[in-house]
Amino acid sequence: MPVKLLRLWLLAAFVSLVLLSLGPAPRVEAQPGTVQRISPGVWFREGEQPAQAKSNEMKDSGHCNNVFIEMEDYLIVVDANFPSGAKLALADARKISAKPVRYVFDTHHHADHAYGNPIWTRNGATTLAHQGVVDAMRRVEPRRWLETAAAREDVRELNLASAEPPLETFSESPHVLSDGTRRVEFHHFGWGHTRGDGFVYLPREKILCTGDAVVNGPFNYMLDANIGNWPKVLRAARSLDVETILPGHGPPADAALLDGQIQFLEAIYQAVEVEVLRGKTLVDLVQFDQGVPMAASLRLPEGLDEWVGHLFPGQVHMIYEEISQGKPHGDIAAGD
C-alpha cells in the first residue's frame, strides 16, 4: 500500500475511534450577568453575549466571564473584559467585597478580555498577564483597536489610540501571588488559543480559570490560535489537580469540560486533515458568501453538537489554512 494511502487509512481509523469515544458535550445553561459563589472567597460572573442583551445600555455587550478571588486585603479579577463589561464587573466586585481590586489578570489579548484594562487601571488596579499577551498586542494593535472602536461605543468613548497593554508581565511559569490566606498560580503552557494564554489555578480549591483556552459551548475562536498545538496546551493544564473549570465563556463545569474541549479540538482537526489527504480543497469543505464562511460540508457526530455553532464554518476554514500552509493560523492571521 502506498505510504500516503496507508497514512490516510490510519488517520481515518484514528479519527473514527476518537469520535466514537466522545461522550455528550457539556450542557450549556447560560445565566448571563449573574454572580455565583463557587468557593469561599471565589465568585464567578457570567458575561452577557450580544443576543442576550435586552436593554439599550447593553448594546455594547459580548462580554466574557469574570472571576473574583478574595485575598486577605484585596481582590484579584480574572479578565479585564470589554470596557462596558469591566464597569459591570467592577460594580459587582464592590457588591461582594469592600476590599479593593489590586490585580486584574488578562488571560489573553482579545478585545473582550483585555480592552477593559483602562477601566481597571483608572480605578487603581494593576493589570497583569503573561509576556505573550503584550507580544500579541504588538502584532495586531492598534489596527484591531481602531476597528473595534468604530463599531463599539464603549471602546470609542475611552478616546485612546490603541489597546492598553498590561502593566506587569511574567515569563516564568507559574507566577505566584500568595499572602498566607490563599495561593494563586498564574500558568502559561504554550501557544493554544493565543500565544499568551494564561490560566489561573487555585491549588487548595482545585479551581482552574481558563480564559478562552476552554469554553463551555460553541465559542471556540481560532483566528490567533496554534490549533494543532492547542490540545497539548490543555493536556498540560489537565496535569493540575482540578475539580472545577471556570471558562472564558459559558457556565462553570467540572473537569470533564477540559477533556471535552481536548476531544473536540482533536476531532475537528483530524477530520479536516483526513479531507485534505483525500485531495479535498477549501471550496469542497466550506461555502462562502462574499468571503465569509457560511456553511461547512464537514459533519461531526451528534455527541459533539453542543460544541458546534455558527463559528463552525470558520473553524473548518482556519484549520484547513493551518494544515495546507504548514504553520499556526495565528501566524497566517498576522501576515507572518
Side-chain angles (χ1 to χ4, degrees), residues 59-178:
K59 60 185 178 181
D60 283 340
S61 58
H63 301 143
C64 72
N65 298 332
N66 292 101
V67 180
F68 309 120
I69 302 169
E70 186 176 33
M71 307 295 279
E72 185 173 14
D73 299 318
Y74 61 89
L75 298 179
I76 299 170
V77 176
V78 179
D79 276 319
N81 218 309
F82 272 124
S84 54
K87 292 176 182 178
L88 293 170
L90 178 60
D92 284 333
R94 287 171 172 166
K95 291 176 185 176
I96 63 175
S97 175
K99 298 175 183 179
V101 175
R102 182 173 297 178
Y103 293 100
V104 177
F105 181 69
D106 294 340
T107 59
H108 59 291
H109 70 285
H110 285 164
D112 57 330
H113 293 258
Y115 277 15
N117 279 348
I119 301 300
W120 299 100
T121 56
R122 291 173 186 180
N123 281 276
T126 296
T127 44
L128 171 70
H130 185 266
Q131 179 61 37
V133 173
V134 176
D135 295 341
M137 284 185 169
R138 288 172 180 160
R139 302 176 90 199
V140 302
E141 304 295 358
R143 175 176 55 84
R144 290 189 186 176
W145 175 270
L146 297 175
E147 291 171 351
T148 307
R152 290 185 64 102
E153 182 179 354
D154 63 339
V155 175
R156 188 165 57 250
E157 69 183 4
L158 289 175
N159 197 30
L160 296 174
S162 186
E164 180 181 285
L167 297 179
E168 291 187 10
T169 63
F170 65 93
S171 297
E172 296 294 325
S173 178
H175 178 75
V176 176
L177 291 175
S178 178

Side-chain angles (χ1 to χ4, degrees), residues 1-331:
M1 181 182 292
V3 173
K4 183 175 180 179
L5 290 178
L6 177 60
R7 183 177 177 223
L8 173 60
W9 183 88
L10 291 173
L11 186 56
F14 172 77
V15 171
S16 298
L17 288 173
V18 169
L19 296 180
L20 288 172
S21 70
L22 289 172
R27 185 179 178 186
V28 178
E29 296 178 351
Q31 297 180 342
T34 63
V35 177
Q36 58 178 298
R37 182 175 175 268
I38 302 298
S39 180
V42 181
W43 297 266
F44 175 83
R45 185 186 191 281
E46 187 167 343
E48 303 87 351
Q49 298 302 312
Q52 298 163 344
K54 304 299 183 183
S55 60
N56 214 22
E57 61 270 20
M58 288 302 298
K59 60 185 178 181
D60 283 340
S61 58
H63 301 143
C64 72
N65 298 332
N66 292 101
V67 180
F68 309 120
I69 302 169
E70 186 176 33
M71 307 295 279
E72 185 173 14
D73 299 318
Y74 61 89
L75 298 179
I76 299 170
V77 176
V78 179
D79 276 319
N81 218 309
F82 272 124
S84 54
K87 292 176 182 178
L88 293 170
L90 178 60
D92 284 333
R94 287 171 172 166
K95 291 176 185 176
I96 63 175
S97 175
K99 298 175 183 179
V101 175
R102 182 173 297 178
Y103 293 100
V104 177
F105 181 69
D106 294 340
T107 59
H108 59 291
H109 70 285
H110 285 164
D112 57 330
H113 293 258
Y115 277 15
N117 279 348
I119 301 300
W120 299 100
T121 56
R122 291 173 186 180
N123 281 276
T126 296
T127 44
L128 171 70
H130 185 266
Q131 179 61 37
V133 173
V134 176
D135 295 341
M137 284 185 169
R138 288 172 180 160
R139 302 176 90 199
V140 302
E141 304 295 358
R143 175 176 55 84
R144 290 189 186 176
W145 175 270
L146 297 175
E147 291 171 351
T148 307
R152 290 185 64 102
E153 182 179 354
D154 63 339
V155 175
R156 188 165 57 250
E157 69 183 4
L158 289 175
N159 197 30
L160 296 174
S162 186
E164 180 181 285
L167 297 179
E168 291 187 10
T169 63
F170 65 93
S171 297
E172 296 294 325
S173 178
H175 178 75
V176 176
L177 291 175
S178 178
D179 60 6
T181 64
R182 193 188 306 276
R183 177 181 172 91
V184 182
E185 298 178 2
F186 303 89
H187 289 263
H188 174 72
F189 297 110
W191 185 1
H193 174 64
T194 69
R195 288 175 179 264
D197 287 342
F199 296 77
V200 183
Y201 177 54
L202 307 180
R204 186 180 68 189
E205 297 83 359
K206 300 182 180 181
I207 293 173
L208 184 67
C209 312
T210 66
D212 287 358
V214 179
V215 292
N216 194 352
F219 311 121
N220 285 290
Y221 187 53
M222 298 180 176
L223 180 68
D224 298 313
N226 185 338
I227 310 169
N229 194 60
W230 195 340
K232 297 177 184 177
V233 170
L234 298 184
R235 282 200 167 85
R238 191 69 178 92
S239 68
L240 301 171
D241 186 7
V242 176
E243 293 182 354
T244 303
I245 300 290
L246 303 182
H249 294 276
D254 60 26
L257 179 67
L258 185 53
D259 298 324
Q261 176 78 79
I262 293 170
Q263 291 172 332
F264 169 71
L265 290 170
E266 291 185 333
I268 186 174
Y269 196 93
Q270 297 285 0
V272 174
E273 190 170 21
V274 165
E275 297 304 311
V276 171
L277 286 170
R278 285 175 174 161
K280 295 293 183 66
T281 65
L282 180 59
V283 295
D284 293 324
L285 300 179
V286 181
Q287 298 176 21
F288 292 85
D289 183 1
Q290 298 181 345
V292 178
M294 299 300 296
S297 61
L298 193 71
R299 293 292 178 264
L300 300 181
E302 291 184 2
L304 290 173
D305 284 351
E306 295 207 32
W307 293 97
V308 177
H310 74 283
L311 295 176
F312 185 67
Q315 293 166 346
V316 174
H317 178 202
M318 294 177 197
I319 293 170
Y320 181 92
E321 288 187 322
E322 178 167 305
I323 292 170
S324 61
Q325 297 188 36
K327 59 182 177 180
H329 195 273
D331 282 343

